[in-house]
Amino acid sequence: MSQKKAPEKPTGNHTSVEMEMADMVGKPLGGPGTQPTKPVRKKSSESMTSDPDLYYSVEDLRSEPPPGEPVSNRIRPMLGQGKHEAGALFFKDGYRRIDYVLAFPVPRRKHPVKVEHKPEDDSSAFHPEGEDQKVRRRREFEKNLIEAGLDLERDDEGARTKKCVTALLSQLHGSQIASREPTKDHGMCFVRLHAPWKVLSQYAEILKIKMPTKKIYELKERTGIKAKAYALWRKTIKPLQPSPQAKQVDKEPYKHISYTFSRDKEHMFHIESRETFFKPSTRSLVVHEILKRTRYSQKDYAIGITNLIAQGVYTAAYPLHEGEFEGDTDIPPNPRQMLFDEWGSYSKFVKFQPLNLIRNYFGEKIGMYFAWLGLYTKLLIPSSLVGLIVFLYGVFTMDDNVPSDEVCEAYNITMCPLCDRECKYWRLSDSCKSAKFSHLFDNEVTVFFSIFMSLWATWFLENWKRKQMELNYAWDLSGFEEEEEQPRPEYEARLVKHRIEQSDKTGEEVKLPKKQTLFAVGVSSVTILTMFTVTLAAVFAVIMYRLSVASALAIYPNSGQIVSGTAVTLNLIVILILDEIYGSVAAFLTNLECPRTETEYEDKLIFKLFLLKFVNSYASIFYVAFFKGRFMGRPGQYIYAAPGLRMEECGPGGCLYELCIQLSIIMAGKQLIQNNVMEIGMPKLKKFLRECTCFGLCKERAERAEDKAGPRDTRWEEDLVLEPFSGLSPEYLEMIIQFGFVTIFVASFPLAPLLALVNNVLEIRLDARKFVQELRRPMAERAKDIGIWYNILKGITKISVIVNAFVIAITSNFIPRTVYQYMYSPDGSLHGFIDWSLSTFNVSDFEPGSEPRDNRSLGEVVQFCRYRDFRDAPWEAEPYKYNLAYWHIFAARLGFVICFQNFIIFLRDFIGYIIPDVPKELDEQIKKENKIMMDALIHEENVRQGEVEMDPEKEPL
Amino acid sequence: MSQKKAPEKPTGNHTSVEMEMADMVGKPLGGPGTQPTKPVRKKSSESMTSDPDLYYSVEDLRSEPPPGEPVSNRIRPMLGQGKHEAGALFFKDGYRRIDYVLAFPVPRRKHPVKVEHKPEDDSSAFHPEGEDQKVRRRREFEKNLIEAGLDLERDDEGARTKKCVTALLSQLHGSQIASREPTKDHGMCFVRLHAPWKVLSQYAEILKIKMPTKKIYELKERTGIKAKAYALWRKTIKPLQPSPQAKQVDKEPYKHISYTFSRDKEHMFHIESRETFFKPSTRSLVVHEILKRTRYSQKDYAIGITNLIAQGVYTAAYPLHEGEFEGDTDIPPNPRQMLFDEWGSYSKFVKFQPLNLIRNYFGEKIGMYFAWLGLYTKLLIPSSLVGLIVFLYGVFTMDDNVPSDEVCEAYNITMCPLCDRECKYWRLSDSCKSAKFSHLFDNEVTVFFSIFMSLWATWFLENWKRKQMELNYAWDLSGFEEEEEQPRPEYEARLVKHRIEQSDKTGEEVKLPKKQTLFAVGVSSVTILTMFTVTLAAVFAVIMYRLSVASALAIYPNSGQIVSGTAVTLNLIVILILDEIYGSVAAFLTNLECPRTETEYEDKLIFKLFLLKFVNSYASIFYVAFFKGRFMGRPGQYIYAAPGLRMEECGPGGCLYELCIQLSIIMAGKQLIQNNVMEIGMPKLKKFLRECTCFGLCKERAERAEDKAGPRDTRWEEDLVLEPFSGLSPEYLEMIIQFGFVTIFVASFPLAPLLALVNNVLEIRLDARKFVQELRRPMAERAKDIGIWYNILKGITKISVIVNAFVIAITSNFIPRTVYQYMYSPDGSLHGFIDWSLSTFNVSDFEPGSEPRDNRSLGEVVQFCRYRDFRDAPWEAEPYKYNLAYWHIFAARLGFVICFQNFIIFLRDFIGYIIPDVPKELDEQIKKENKIMMDALIHEENVRQGEVEMDPEKEPL
């Protein structure tokens, strides 16, 4: 509205705007409530050209000095957590905490421009046409923030901010002030926000935030044997706990019961000081809530900071980090320092994470992620141990193993060649080493380890459910409900565009037309399918590589290892490259679909990312596990992938051996390169780039770095150059893929959990450092759970059962061994197994041209060679037909899958049933607390009523 | 405390008691708050001997006349829902609604007894030693109820109540008044409770009950094709909807948004009248809450009406039905009448249930059950239809079916005898009829129907989840949290006993010792296992019966049908008897375990009931499906269950045929007898018995029935003789067992869903009549879901998949047919299948003594007979060894199980994934409503703040 009036005189018409604003639904709290606001604002807007404290408003806080009183913010001790650091976290008065910072750039401009005031149309709501538009929106937005009850401050100290203000003024008034310093008329401006008690308490009530009351719940001391065991346990893990101050738990044997905050019951809450009652994360949440709901123009959809950032009106909006993470400036250390020391330090890798501290600093959503990661890592310890034992069992029994001994002694068994023409006959004893190696992973214990890991996965999920409940309780999240989200700016922009195209039908159309959405979904599906094909093509390409190189190098001895090694490495490289590509593809497709809300966007993105990356990571492994060597035909009747290229046969060590190699290299390589190298390197690189762009020129920064005596960067400047927080999806995804390695193919590689454990111990500290050091402080979001990821984990667990069943049944030699031992062996031992498992081939039956060039082995002409299969001998009625043993084994394989799968499903459901979702003690405690609180409320009511009755004025008898 | 003072003069010391009471935590709301209480109570307690309105207190309701004003409660029109019926639902003043009734008996006694006042010890808290103790407790309890803010009334009209009061007084004062009417000094007394607005609003706030606000949400009119389809759909199902007044939905295209009730926001709520704002069910909930929390003595655990009822201090506590269910006395009809007409009437069997009406009358928990039952029944319609089609397909293809035709034409195939010695050789063509009948259920479509039903079960569960969400939303349950339950009286009694035995250690021991619990659990487990054995023994006994009778009757033709028929009937009878026994056993065991809370009790009871009844219902069916005919050996090498009793062979029609017979008879018989006959008969019988015991003598009632001119029974008298509501577990259990029949073995009996549908359509009306007519009105409990039953349903769905897989793979002939068709058939058809599926036996290989007496068939001496199996012929190398076809079929069976199971699991999870738990529209609506409400609250805040600012007194500038 104000834009239509004389633009050169933007002051003095606030009152009318206010009147109109007051009727709007959706206007944030506060309104005319912040009493001293009006006069101050009036004054400031009148004196705009001279007073840099634009829109400065003051809340009449109890413990604060009157706003006029001059306070040196460098000297006076700060309130809140006893910090004495330089006043960077507070307004100039040294009292009011900075809860949020908005940053916007003032671009370099050659000529001062007059602010044009053409009426805005709908489309311009999303495409501000120039700097003047932006300035107007900022002005309107900040005015409304003040009306909502927030305190604003624009700093005037230091060259940068002065520059910013002058630049702003030059735009507003078209004056030539800015041109006095022609090289410095660009840079960043900051608006700092403070939420006074009134706003905080209002929103805490509306957002149903639970806060500690004076009511106390006494934590029972356990008695009896349990207590002693528990005490011993605590003593044992004491060195693993973070330091007490970082744990942030009451030492007292009681806790304050939390209850939804309510202003008319304020006296019931445990308020030591109004300034510190709400945690910084809650404060930033409240301010964010206001920023989300505040209008910046009268247009439709012209609401919220997200839109403004998308339009470039502001560059960024973020809460501040609480000081430096390094150095001893703060005693006691500030929370960021504490986090860095206790959590981000590699030397603390054996310790638990200080979860409460993380939650208080970063909010519940991020806290949830680290709690999950911590639990996962912790529970990896037992599975690593068991995996190691299984591996060691393999190592120690390697020499007592009958089948591999038989292989090593089988000098007289001539095997059919592994490829056409070039390959020679070979003796089974040649594969002695790989047979022994294969035994490491393919022994009697493998089945038990598979069962163990399947149950472990379920147990982990159940434990997480419990942990989640505990956290929900400890972090007071139980009453938290989700509210309608605001649409994403991109969605709104497209909606507006669509409405304009439809010649502004003013229907109640709040959604994009189905056609557009369907089109986007169609494109997505097709693209994803294409990408699947690309993945499979990549796998196939590597196979072709292996086949061609193998047949080319067949004449050289030991070429197999080289071929395998290069092929796997090639696989790994392809996976890494495709992973990066798929990341961009998924983002592109999701943007194309243009989902309405941030949650929808995230869900769709995650779904695509997961599909693409999962298939990418596992395609080659699946190939080795289930296809390699299954469809190669038999000697004399080989199947060819391409003319001259016989289908791959598993190497002399068997298929499980190859699967194990494939798995270990891909898993280790992926983690090393993707998780660690890139995760450390990328933020540093990005930070460097951003520093350059944000502040115009790296040169400038370099200058200042040299000039140490110059003014230090303020907190908000330092935070601005940090990488913005971009969500937890990549972190989760990385872990989920790893979880897949640990569970899905664990039967073939018992060391996978150990590998994962080592990675995660590092990963936690790496992530911690990233969050504390490299990232802007994220807004403290609330979340009750880990969302869609839980279901994905559950899905992986389900897949893992069936895959493990098939790996044991089909890939490993477990079933043939067992069948031999119990149905065919003359003495119940495995002696003779190797001979039994080989069929005989008459070399005269080779297809012409495929017989080996060298028809001798050990100097003798070969008549019969052996191959791994269960077929009738050439001299029987139907040569090369599958024999009865084949069908026995086949039935046994299938029977094993059924038994294994259903046994695991049963055990899994049983575990799920006997482990209650809510720990029993916690459940009792919650219910008891509810009861105490209820009684207290009833008591409170009685007291209040008593008072009312005492008061003769209120309700006369 | 009051007991220690002069007992003969119980008046006048109320004030001191009050003072002590006021300090108690856990004292219910109200306290001294109900202002006019004190003087009135004072008066009444002083004039106790003359004034029957003992403890009568009055709430100063806005719309009420002053309490002194005499009001005829028979003439004056009543408030609330415009009812004009006799004032039975209101206090004498005709205004205050009766929200709850307490009843207690006054026993016949020969000599007036002096009330003894020995100090109570802890044990007496649960074992009142005499009538005087009871009287004292009632007095204390009712006094505390008044302090909590409730209004109480003891009626003085009618002989019964006068009698009651005089009887009471005679006990209290030891006077001889009662002896004036020596034959009438026994009977029932009633205390009627009313919750005034103050109490209701206080508790609504504390219990976080959501109520409609003035804020309105406009229900969008759909547009486009969807809308037309929807309108058409609505028009189609219009005749199925209950009448509009019974539906109780707003006709307006908007709804009032609900929000947690809060007194200081009262003006925001949609209150037409304070008397009708809270529904009767909410009112009874609030009163129940108070009854639960009120003390009746100063002893530990001496809290709550449940304890008092357990001690016999009161007989019953219940809310009143809203008038008669029959007759046209009320115009418009009262809710109970409406329920009876619209819901309980058999003629309305095609209509949907009036769920909102049910919920408003019986509360959310019962509403949830009927919603579930309704959805289940509705979804049975498609499955019945498909089942019918499958059945009809079988009927129509019966004559084109190659295998059964081959059986019918197989005059020359001589089959081996079905039992030793007595049985004869038989021709395969003899089993022509049963082969044709078998085809009805064992054809190509069976597999698809199995898949369909497995998915149907999942679809049903998903639909229920959605329905549940819709109901949660429509019934405003989303914010409802559970609070700690009070321990059961039995538990507390045992706890007190335990403490006394331990010589009154005053430790904080709030639990029974582990030892006792463990012992009980041990006993339970052993008993349950024993019961399992009993079930299996019963099944085995029936088998033995069948075997013995079969061999005894073997010489008679067609004896097979008789044997089968009687055996199945025997099975059914055993199941029905054991079901009743198991009901008692489960209750006994659960009482032995003595769980702490009502929920725990219910869960444990349900668990036991489910285990026992499930095993009982299905054991015989499992036997027929998977064991009968599997372990019978082969001719010449039969396996014997007992000497002379060969293991059962499936009849000539095959095993699936028998399974089908077994299943249909047990399912139909169980439903007919157990659900319908017993459910109708039992309550009527019980009511008759209770009428006799409650009012002393049936004679008296009979007298009054003759004497029609006498005063009608009051509402509370009529309700007292009704059966008390005993929980929903039996209703659910019945349905769950049925659900098992419908899903677990559906492959063998496609008509099961139809049978269930017919039963349920009746069941709903039957249950409805029971609830409206035969049961006392239950307290309106809140519940968000159907609790443990959902998980049980899910478990059954899981079991059903694997069982169906095995039924198709093993019991039916599907796999052998398929294997023959695709692997062995010369022309790809089923011709020759019958011959292929029979092995040959040389009769000379019979074990001596087991060969049939009659070694001829059709006059010729038999040399070779045939039997169903896949074994090598007698003339082959290894006679009677399983042949290759056997192994092919075996592998195919197992492969089928794996594929079927995983396919279904995959589809199931997929369905679960694509059907969102919360319907999308509902989700949007909920979020939008939350937003509207939030905005309204913020607006409200602004308005309020504005007012505060206007008010110069409150916050001076």
Side-chain angles (χ1 to χ4, degrees), chain A residues 27 29 32 202 206 263 484 798 887-888 901-902 909 913 931 934 938 941-942 945 949 955, chain B residues 27 29-30 32-33 35 202 206 263 484 607 798 887-888 901-902 909 931 934 938 941 945 949:
Chain A
K27 184 165 73 80
L29 271 180
Q202 279 171 351
I206 291 178
R263 277 166 298 167
E484 193 190 39
K798 280 185 187 172
W887 290 105
H888 282 165
Q901 190 183 6
N902 285 294
D909 289 355
Y913 175 77
K931 192 162 190 287
M934 191 93 127
I938 292 173
E941 284 289 340
N942 288 336
Q945 291 237 331
E949 248 172 50
E955 283 195 41
Chain B
K27 189 166 67 82
L29 270 180
Q35 300 141 32
Q202 278 172 349
I206 291 177
R263 277 166 299 167
E484 193 193 34
F607 180 72
K798 280 185 186 170
W887 291 106
H888 282 165
Q901 190 183 6
N902 285 294
D909 289 354
K931 192 163 190 288
M934 190 92 130
I938 292 173
E941 284 289 339
Q945 293 238 329
E949 248 172 52

Side-chain angles (χ1 to χ4, degrees), chain A residues 372-391:
Chain A
W372 177 81
L373 183 55
L375 184 78
Y376 173 47
T377 307
K378 197 172 103 189
L379 295 193
L380 274 175
I381 297 173
S383 58
S384 307
L385 270 181
V386 176
L388 199 62
I389 291 171
V390 168
F391 179 74

Side-chain angles (χ1 to χ4, degrees), chain B residues 344-594:
Chain B
S345 163
Y346 290 115
S347 64
K348 298 280 162 60
F349 77 96
V350 290
K351 293 207 173 192
F352 294 132
Q353 304 174 82
L355 283 184
N356 285 327
L357 193 63
I358 298 170
R359 172 251 181 168
N360 285 341
Y361 198 85
F362 293 111
E364 285 80 9
K365 196 170 180 181
I366 293 173
M368 222 28 119
Y369 166 69
F370 283 105
W372 178 81
L373 183 56
L375 184 78
Y376 173 46
T377 307
K378 197 172 103 188
L379 295 193
L380 274 176
I381 297 173
S383 59
S384 306
L385 269 180
V386 176
L388 199 63
I389 291 170
V390 167
F391 178 74
L392 290 178
Y393 173 85
V395 171
F396 288 122
T397 57
M398 195 145 62
D399 293 331
D400 311 337
N401 179 37
V402 177
S404 58
D405 284 353
E406 284 190 349
V407 167
C408 293
E409 289 157 12
Y411 301 109
N412 54 352
I413 295 184
T414 309
M415 301 292 290
C416 299
L418 290 172
C419 66
D420 290 355
R421 299 297 292 160
E422 305 300 338
C423 300
K424 295 178 185 167
Y425 294 107
W426 52 288
R427 276 162 303 145
L428 188 58
S429 57
D430 293 347
S431 68
C432 173
K433 265 187 203 165
S434 54
K436 288 202 176 225
F437 186 77
S438 180
H439 171 74
L440 290 182
F441 305 107
D442 186 2
N443 54 48
E444 309 78 49
V445 197
T446 312
V447 179
F448 295 102
F449 187 60
S450 276
I451 295 175
F452 172 80
M453 282 307 288
S454 292
L455 298 185
W456 174 87
T458 307
W459 182 62
F460 163 60
L461 287 181
E462 289 296 321
N463 259 288
W464 171 245
K465 263 198 264 178
R466 288 162 71 92
K467 182 85 187 175
Q468 202 164 264
M469 279 308 300
E470 277 170 27
L471 292 178
N472 269 331
Y473 161 73
W475 294 352
D476 296 327
L477 291 165
S478 54
F480 160 58
E481 277 172 48
E482 274 171 54
E483 189 215 351
E484 193 193 34
E485 266 181 290
Q486 281 186 308
R488 298 174 68 235
E490 290 83 356
Y491 181 83
E492 286 186 345
R494 197 184 281 195
L495 202 59
V496 168
K497 195 171 152 231
H498 173 70
R499 282 178 59 188
I500 290 163
E501 275 170 10
Q502 303 290 311
S503 60
D504 214 353
K505 263 197 287 172
T506 46
E508 263 294 305
E509 207 163 347
V510 275
K511 281 180 188 175
L512 279 181
K514 274 268 162 69
K515 229 191 283 173
Q516 284 194 24
T517 326
L518 275 181
F519 173 72
V521 170
V523 171
S524 279
S525 314
V526 170
T527 316
I528 288 178
L529 288 179
T530 315
M531 293 294 125
F532 283 174
T533 321
V534 170
T535 305
L536 296 184
V539 172
F540 192 69
V542 175
I543 296 169
M544 294 311 279
Y545 161 84
R546 194 157 42 198
L547 286 177
S548 350
V549 177
S551 73
L553 298 182
I555 37 170
Y556 303 102
N558 285 326
S559 65
Q561 266 83 336
I562 300 168
V563 175
S564 286
T566 50
V568 174
T569 316
L570 207 63
N571 248 331
L572 176 63
I573 293 170
V574 169
I575 288 174
L576 290 177
I577 292 173
L578 283 182
D579 250 13
E580 293 302 309
I581 294 175
Y582 288 166
S584 319
V585 168
F588 172 78
L589 289 177
T590 317
N591 283 328
L592 196 71
E593 283 182 44
C594 198

Side-chain angles (χ1 to χ4, degrees), chain A residues 41 48 97 118-119 129 143 227 262 264 306 346 429 517 554 623 662 691 761 765 787 793 825 838 868:
Chain A
R41 188 168 58 236
M48 199 184 237
R97 206 192 141 79
K118 38 181 177 178
E129 308 212 338
K143 185 168 69 66
S262 161
D264 66 335
T306 342
Y346 290 114
S429 57
T517 326
Y623 166 75
Q662 181 89 8
E691 272 179 16
V761 166
R765 308 301 151 179
L793 280 175
S825 170
L838 296 175
R868 276 205 192 83

Side-chain angles (χ1 to χ4, degrees), chain A residues 22 25-33 35 198 202-203 205-208 226 259 263-265 289 293 479 481-484 511 607 798 802 806 881 884 887-888 890-891 894-895 897-898 901-902 905 909 913 924 927-928 930-931 934-935 938-939 941-942 945 949 955 957, chain B residues 25-35 198 202-203 205-208 259 263-265 289 293 479 481-484 511 514 607 798 802 806 881 884 887-888 890-891 894-895 897-898 901-902 905 909 913 924 927-928 930-931 934-935 938-939 941-942 945 949 955 957:
Chain A
V25 172
K27 184 165 73 80
L29 271 180
Q35 299 143 32
K198 186 176 269 174
Q202 279 171 351
Y203 271 86
E205 191 175 313
I206 291 178
L207 295 174
K208 294 181 187 154
K226 252 189 177 175
Y259 196 74
R263 277 166 298 167
D264 66 335
K265 297 193 182 73
E289 202 63 30
R293 295 169 177 280
E481 278 172 46
E482 274 171 51
E483 188 215 354
E484 193 190 39
K511 282 180 189 173
F607 179 73
K798 280 185 187 172
I802 187 79
F806 275 106
K881 201 187 112 194
L884 206 58
W887 290 105
H888 282 165
F890 190 65
L894 295 179
V897 170
I898 295 177
Q901 190 183 6
N902 285 294
I905 288 179
D909 289 355
Y913 175 77
E924 275 171 19
K927 284 182 176 164
K928 199 149 274 163
N930 280 348
K931 192 162 190 287
M934 191 93 127
D935 288 342
I938 292 173
H939 183 71
E941 284 289 340
N942 288 336
Q945 291 237 331
E949 248 172 50
E955 283 195 41
L957 284 166
Chain B
V25 173
K27 189 166 67 82
L29 270 180
T34 49
Q35 300 141 32
K198 185 177 271 174
Q202 278 172 349
Y203 271 88
E205 193 174 311
I206 291 177
L207 295 174
K208 293 180 187 155
Y259 196 72
R263 277 166 299 167
D264 67 333
K265 297 192 182 78
E289 201 65 30
R293 294 168 179 281
E481 277 172 48
E482 274 171 54
E483 189 215 351
E484 193 193 34
K511 281 180 188 175
K514 274 268 162 69
F607 180 72
K798 280 185 186 170
I802 186 80
F806 274 106
K881 202 185 110 195
L884 205 58
W887 291 106
H888 282 165
F890 190 67
L894 295 179
V897 170
I898 295 177
Q901 190 183 6
N902 285 294
I905 288 179
D909 289 354
Y913 175 77
E924 276 172 17
K927 284 182 174 163
K928 199 150 275 161
N930 279 349
K931 192 163 190 288
M934 190 92 130
D935 288 342
I938 292 173
H939 183 70
E941 284 289 339
N942 288 336
Q945 293 238 329
E949 248 172 52
E955 282 196 40
L957 284 167

Side-chain angles (χ1 to χ4, degrees), chain B residues 632-645:
Chain B
M632 50 163 227
R634 60 166 178 85
Q637 214 172 53
Y638 284 119
I639 297 169
Y640 290 86
L645 288 181

